[in-house]
Amino acid sequence: MVTRRATTDEVAIAVFSRAPVAGETKTRLIPALGAVAAARLQRQLTLRALAVAQRAAIGSVCLWCAPDERQRFFRAVHRRCRVALRPQAAGDLGQRMAAAFAADSGPLLLIGCDCPALRPADLQAAAAALRDEAAGGPDAVFIPAEDGGYVLIGLRRPQPSLFAGIDWGGERVMAQTRARLASAGLRWLELPALWDVDRVEDLWRLAGFEELAAWSG
């Protein structure tokens, strides 16, 4: 199934999320938060990511769901936020992201739900880069994560080679991706790095991030 665009200027957004089931999500944070609170955090982060994507107003927003879109939380989000739902593909993170890009017909930004620092302006800047079709315009755009991964990837068209052989979850993800980009002869743009919430040591930054509570309702 291929996503159709309302206009040629539209840049769609794919949001990746895992269902906030206690004990099955944010598992690296469970030692510090407990299973229930870790699941609650996943719920808040997902709602915030969707709100940011919609407020960017650059194109359609789709929530890619794991393990699938039939989870009660995702059905509620569909009703509340009016976003399309799709199940994430099987395989590792790279295979799932590659499948999301392959399912789309044009420029696409893909984000997760782990970056509370991400703003609508960041998505707008990434979309503007992909709309730049002048000579030297980038084929890809990234917002690196401070821990060595990335919190956003945008592609003008699918590039499956960028997702193969990457040590997902490690600190070399962005470095390995740069090597894939160079090998493929692709041009890319990196926007300023942001922090995300993957590990217990990341939690201290959330203490002053009170706006998350606004998405828990």
Side-chain angles (χ1 to χ4, degrees):
M1 178 175 170
V2 175
T3 301
R4 299 297 177 187
R5 305 307 177 100
T7 71
T8 55
D9 289 334
E10 189 172 298
V11 177
I13 303 173
V15 181
F16 265 36
S17 178
R18 178 166 292 279
V21 178
E24 298 179 14
T25 187
K26 290 293 180 197
T27 55
R28 285 187 284 185
L29 302 182
I30 289 176
L33 296 179
V36 172
R40 186 180 302 119
L41 176 61
Q42 173 69 7
R43 179 183 186 278
Q44 293 171 321
L45 288 169
T46 297
L47 291 174
R48 186 188 187 282
L50 286 171
V52 168
Q54 291 180 319
R55 289 178 180 179
I58 58 173
S60 61
V61 178
C62 181
L63 180 62
W64 289 77
C65 310
D68 59 58
E69 79 282 15
R70 295 172 294 180
Q71 298 289 315
R72 183 174 64 178
F73 170 73
F74 294 135
R75 295 199 307 270
V77 166
H78 172 68
R79 293 191 298 269
R80 173 176 173 170
C81 301
R82 304 294 183 185
V83 294
L85 304 180
R86 288 195 188 180
Q88 291 184 31
D92 65 18
L93 178 58
Q95 292 169 314
R96 288 181 276 132
M97 289 196 293
F101 279 104
D104 203 89
S105 64
L108 176 69
L109 304 181
L110 189 152
I111 63 173
C113 296
D114 295 334
C115 182
L118 190 68
R119 307 286 177 173
D122 299 315
L123 298 175
Q124 291 162 355
L130 292 185
R131 292 191 192 106
D132 181 8
E133 296 184 358
D139 302 296
V141 59
F142 294 85
I143 296 180
E146 292 179 0
D147 63 6
Y150 52 79
V151 302
L152 176 149
I153 175 174
L155 298 176
R156 195 184 299 278
R157 60 186 61 84
Q159 301 287 349
S161 65
L162 299 183
F163 304 103
I166 303 294
D167 297 323
W168 302 109
E171 59 186 22
R172 300 184 61 238
V173 169
M174 192 67 230
Q176 291 173 329
T177 301
R178 291 185 188 105
R180 297 285 186 283
L181 289 159
S183 295
L186 298 174
R187 300 180 299 271
W188 74 95
L189 171 69
E190 294 184 27
L191 299 174
L194 296 173
W195 59 277
D196 57 9
V197 183
D198 283 327
R199 304 162 298 180
V200 170
E201 50 265 40
D202 298 321
L203 289 173
W204 68 269
R205 287 183 167 183
L206 284 175
F209 214 81
E210 296 179 357
E211 70 174 84
L212 265 184
W215 313 114
S216 63

